[in-house]
Amino acid sequence: MSRVVPHSLFSDFDINLFKAGKHYRLYEKLGSHPIEVNGEKGTYFAVWAPSAKSVAVVGDFNYWLEGDHKLNVRWDESGIWEGFIPGVDVGTKYKYKIHSHNNDIMTEKADPFARLCETPPNTASVVWKADYKWKDKKWMGYRADKNGLDRPYSVYEVHLGSWRRREGNGFMSYTELADELVTYLKEMNFTHVEFMPIMEYPFDPSWGYQLTGYFAPTSRFGKPEEFKLLVDKLHQNDIGVILDWVPSHFPEDAHGLGFFDGSHLYEHPDRRRGYHPDWKSLIFNYGRNEVRAFLISNALFWLDQFHVDGLRVDAVASMLYLDYSREEGEWEPNMYGNNENLEAISFIRELNEEIYQSFKGVQTIAEESTAFSGVSRPVYLGGLGFGMKWMMGWMHDTLEYFKKEPIYRKHHQNDITFSMTYAFTENFMLPFSHDEVVYGKQSLLYRMPGDEWQRFANLRLLFGYMFTHPGTNLIFMGGEFGQSSEWNYQHSLDWHLVQYDLHSGVQQMVKDLNALYQGYPALYEKQFSTEGFQWIDYGDAENSVLTYIRKGHDEKNDLFIACNFTPVPRENYRMGIPKSGTLTEVFNSDLKKYGGSGMKNGKVKTSATPWHGRDQSVEITIPPLAVVVFQ
């Protein structure tokens, strides 16, 4: 095998951008790139390791011995080591053997920019070129309209390793999922799918939230081009793709980013800012230019190379606060004496500005659990610049309310109405995520009180209330058919349950709710505006009933919603209406096909009986533990 040939993909301009933290396409330069130099095929390698004394490429092409394949350090103090090795082809396994100036430490590290990694528990990087011919031109052309904040977002959250498994409990491949998952999402009328992290991760119980291969789709399910096929098929079926993305922390695995070149290269050197006590992981140094460029390049990589439509950014709260999950004395205030991580805030703003500037029709979504102000407001208005934020408070309050026996709910009416006091302070997405169905919390179905019928009626009511509440929606896989057991990442969902009427009924109702949400503009056109919602009556605690109006651009499309949170039917229930006419029931969670009791309204005419401060009113039936929607 030939020795290393001096070669570079970096211009002086690239290096200046990199040092300034403004090079947002580093994946085009760093890492391994199969190319041809002077008529000879091989691979160019480049790695950032400023504290290294020497860096060699070792792999199956040289028996993992550093010998002749030491990279050359650049003269410009960028800390980049690079070189071209003839004969190294696609499929070659490799690592970087790094000798450090610090205490002469020697480590073998996976390539931070590798496009493919060995399947865990193996840890080598693989030279790869994910050639793929995209067929989603149509989607990419109108994506900006599909993905706008005034469009429906009904998101199905998926863990690819456990959505459905093969016979014998083996993983399904990206290619198989491109048939089965896409067909299911289309059939269920979901508008988007959100994948829990698919970047390479070493430890299955982390569910993908402890990443080591930031630029590589996990090889558990196939090759990068096969993941592209999955995204492409979703787009061809008008389904948007959101990826979970984790810039908040990374694991200490020996082959990963930690202590990369014998120094604290990617992580903050101060343990109070560089280590997560909750997750026993390392925290990025957001104040270091090259680290910011690494992370922003990574976000853009998935949007650029994989045509992804959105990033849901994990654990944002842990990035924003220096005292996150720390006791007194375990953190140090910022220069102003408070607990905000100014470097992380600056990084997040820069990230969002670059994403929205570079890609038309994408969204970023923050999983942020505190009252930090302006998370989904533009940077130029002082916000963090996200498109949406998960409404964690709503999720918590709603589930707490629903677990109460209906007889006690009248004493907790404020718990279910409180969300409307802050519903429009951010662009909120309403999530029932994977975190709510693990670690002894039980499945959504088994958090509901009552006998079997009431449990299912409560679950149908929960989803009906969710879809008619302002904001976009996210349901974790399994919830849509009333999975009875907690989620287990090691096994398939309990698909056998859909043979039973009550489970298939919930599934049919979620399918119809998705269609309702997309078919009625009043549910999405002003989903983030106070103009899109109006109470009819939030004070009927005695009956545990809520009535409200959802509005779009045209008042002819207004929807009138009534929720009954008890198992007692509310017949001849009077509801104030702003004008005279006939109301038609367009959705009812109590239909027999959903497993309900079958109480219906059909059409109801208003009368000139003033009610709820309005000149007109109607008498309706609100079935037990149900939501009804009228137009």
Short mmCIF file of all heavy atoms in Angstrom, two decimals, residues 59 110 283 315 378 527 618 625:
data_model
loop_
_atom_site.label_atom_id
_atom_site.label_comp_id
_atom_site.label_asym_id
_atom_site.label_seq_id
_atom_site.Cartn_x
_atom_site.Cartn_y
_atom_site.Cartn_z
N GLY A 59 -6.13 0.87 9.54
CA GLY A 59 -7.35 0.20 9.10
C GLY A 59 -7.07 -1.18 8.56
O GLY A 59 -5.95 -1.70 8.68
N ALA A 110 -12.57 6.94 16.15
CA ALA A 110 -13.38 6.92 14.94
C ALA A 110 -13.38 8.31 14.33
O ALA A 110 -13.13 9.31 15.01
CB ALA A 110 -14.81 6.50 15.28
N ILE A 283 -20.44 17.59 27.51
CA ILE A 283 -21.17 18.71 26.93
C ILE A 283 -20.24 19.46 25.99
O ILE A 283 -19.09 19.77 26.33
CB ILE A 283 -21.69 19.67 28.03
CG1 ILE A 283 -22.59 18.91 29.00
CG2 ILE A 283 -22.42 20.85 27.41
CD1 ILE A 283 -22.97 19.71 30.25
N ALA A 315 -33.27 18.23 24.27
CA ALA A 315 -32.72 18.71 25.55
C ALA A 315 -32.21 20.14 25.49
O ALA A 315 -31.13 20.45 26.01
CB ALA A 315 -31.62 17.77 26.03
N PRO A 378 -38.30 34.83 16.21
CA PRO A 378 -37.12 35.05 15.37
C PRO A 378 -35.97 35.69 16.15
O PRO A 378 -36.18 36.42 17.12
CB PRO A 378 -37.63 36.00 14.29
CG PRO A 378 -39.11 35.85 14.28
CD PRO A 378 -39.50 35.52 15.69
N GLN A 527 -53.22 28.38 13.99
CA GLN A 527 -52.97 27.51 15.16
C GLN A 527 -52.02 28.12 16.17
O GLN A 527 -51.95 27.68 17.32
CB GLN A 527 -52.47 26.14 14.70
CG GLN A 527 -51.19 26.17 13.88
CD GLN A 527 -50.94 24.84 13.15
OE1 GLN A 527 -51.59 23.84 13.41
NE2 GLN A 527 -49.99 24.85 12.22
N VAL A 618 -77.54 26.50 20.56
CA VAL A 618 -78.05 25.21 20.09
C VAL A 618 -78.10 24.24 21.27
O VAL A 618 -77.36 24.40 22.24
CB VAL A 618 -77.17 24.58 18.99
CG1 VAL A 618 -77.26 25.33 17.70
CG2 VAL A 618 -75.72 24.46 19.45
N LEU A 625 -67.57 10.80 27.92
CA LEU A 625 -66.12 10.79 27.68
C LEU A 625 -65.83 10.97 26.19
O LEU A 625 -65.18 10.14 25.56
CB LEU A 625 -65.50 9.49 28.20
CG LEU A 625 -65.56 9.30 29.73
CD1 LEU A 625 -65.14 7.87 30.10
CD2 LEU A 625 -64.67 10.31 30.45
#
